[in-house]
Amino acid sequence: MLQGKGCSREMDRISSGINELDERLGGGYPAGRVLLVTGGTGTGKSIFGLHFLHRACRDGKKCVLIATEELPEDIIQQSEMLGIGLSRYYEHGQLVIEKAFQNRSEKVQTSKFGFTPEGLEIELPTLVDYVPDGTDVVVIDNIGVFTLRLSIQDFRDQFDALNFVLSTKEGCTAMFIMDDTACKMTQNLAEYSASASLRLMVTENPYTGNMERFLKIPKMRRTFIGLDMIRFEITLQGVKLL
């Protein structure tokens, strides 16, 4: 794979938290931009986010995680199990975990027909309200839950607006994690607005018959990258590229 060492001098980089990935990207993700991570269930999307947050916290950055599908205690426990513990940063306030999952759940109203989605709608640009000034890194996991009732045009407009508003927060780098279902429903439009994109997948190795995890980087501005897929594993120490 071609590396982006020449371009790394032209653009500030921020570590992904995965050393082997940083080497392939010429130092890490583009700093101050929006990165999109997509994939299906079990591909490791959230773990890439945990790596990113852990390294940013370790480097003294102020971080925010907007969690739409899990509670803070579950996220912290998972990070500890993977050897990229976030508990001390969370306890000291360096990492703030916004309970978007809990907030959404509490707004669900019930009827004789079961759950209704009323009260769950939110305009994407308003997510910036969770990100105070001075934030260095923000991760939204999973942004796809906010797209299910949007038209294609509304999603594009709101996603672009969210990117723009975040860009006005000087020095803030954002990672949006999005599930494959939401990507398909929105015709992969998020990739057009993001400065960088990582696709994670699980597929069968035709030679061994084993299911394996792969990473593909279809887009990384100002970075020389190849189109080949990179195999990786999730170990007790987190993600390891092979």
Side-chain angles (χ1 to χ4, degrees):
M1 171 172 288
L2 295 175
Q3 296 185 3
K5 294 183 178 179
C7 287
S8 64
R9 292 191 293 269
E10 301 173 10
M11 171 179 281
D12 290 337
R13 302 279 168 169
I14 183 169
S15 176
S16 67
I18 304 168
N19 292 335
E20 301 96 330
L21 182 56
D22 285 348
E23 292 174 3
R24 291 174 180 265
L25 298 178
Y29 303 137
R33 307 297 177 90
V34 169
L35 168 73
L36 179 70
V37 179
T38 63
T41 302
T43 53
K45 302 184 300 299
S46 294
I47 298 175
F48 273 74
L50 294 179
H51 272 284
F52 186 39
L53 289 168
H54 178 261
R55 178 57 183 267
C57 286
R58 200 180 77 180
D59 289 345
K61 300 183 185 301
K62 183 178 179 180
C63 302
V64 173
L65 170 60
I66 301 174
T68 70
E69 295 182 311
E70 294 185 272
L71 295 172
E73 51 266 33
D74 296 328
I75 294 167
I76 295 298
Q77 183 179 38
Q78 183 183 26
S79 73
E80 298 293 337
M81 291 175 58
L82 292 168
I84 45 177
L86 295 172
S87 58
R88 61 173 175 165
Y89 305 113
Y90 180 60
E91 291 167 0
H92 295 158
Q94 187 179 347
L95 168 66
V96 174
I97 301 179
E98 294 291 350
K99 304 174 185 178
F101 168 80
Q102 182 174 331
N103 294 341
R104 288 195 311 120
S105 299
E106 290 174 350
K107 289 181 180 179
V108 172
Q109 302 172 7
T110 58
S111 70
K112 63 180 179 180
F113 302 108
F115 292 109
T116 65
E118 295 178 7
L120 295 185
E121 296 177 350
I122 183 173
E123 292 188 347
L124 292 179
T126 64
L127 292 174
V128 177
D129 294 342
Y130 288 112
V131 185
D133 291 340
T135 298
D136 299 301
V137 166
V138 57
V139 174
I140 303 177
D141 182 10
N142 168 359
I143 199 170
V145 301
F146 299 117
T147 69
L148 300 181
R149 303 190 72 196
L150 293 176
S151 69
I152 298 298
Q153 186 61 53
D154 285 343
F155 170 73
R156 180 63 187 267
D157 291 343
Q158 291 192 24
F159 194 85
D160 287 348
L162 176 60
N163 286 352
F164 174 77
V165 176
L166 281 174
S167 71
T168 65
K169 291 184 174 293
E170 185 176 358
C172 183
T173 304
M175 173 184 283
F176 298 163
I177 296 172
M178 192 173 187
D179 61 277
D180 270 349
T181 299
C183 287
K184 292 175 182 176
M185 289 179 62
T186 55
Q187 299 180 9
N188 293 317
L189 286 175
E191 282 193 345
Y192 290 92
S193 297
S195 293
S197 176
L198 275 66
R199 292 181 191 167
L200 309 183
M201 61 200 77
V202 176
T203 188
E204 182 178 350
N205 186 319
Y207 300 103
T208 65
N210 296 327
M211 301 301 292
E212 298 175 346
R213 291 184 173 91
F214 289 90
L215 160 67
K216 185 176 181 180
I217 309 174
K219 179 180 181 181
M220 190 76 62
R221 288 178 179 167
R222 299 188 188 179
T223 306
F224 293 112
I225 54 174
L227 297 178
D228 54 312
M229 295 196 299
I230 306 165
R231 192 162 70 90
F232 70 93
E233 292 180 348
I234 298 175
T235 71
L236 292 177
Q237 289 75 44
V239 171
K240 180 177 178 58
L241 270 59
L242 303 175

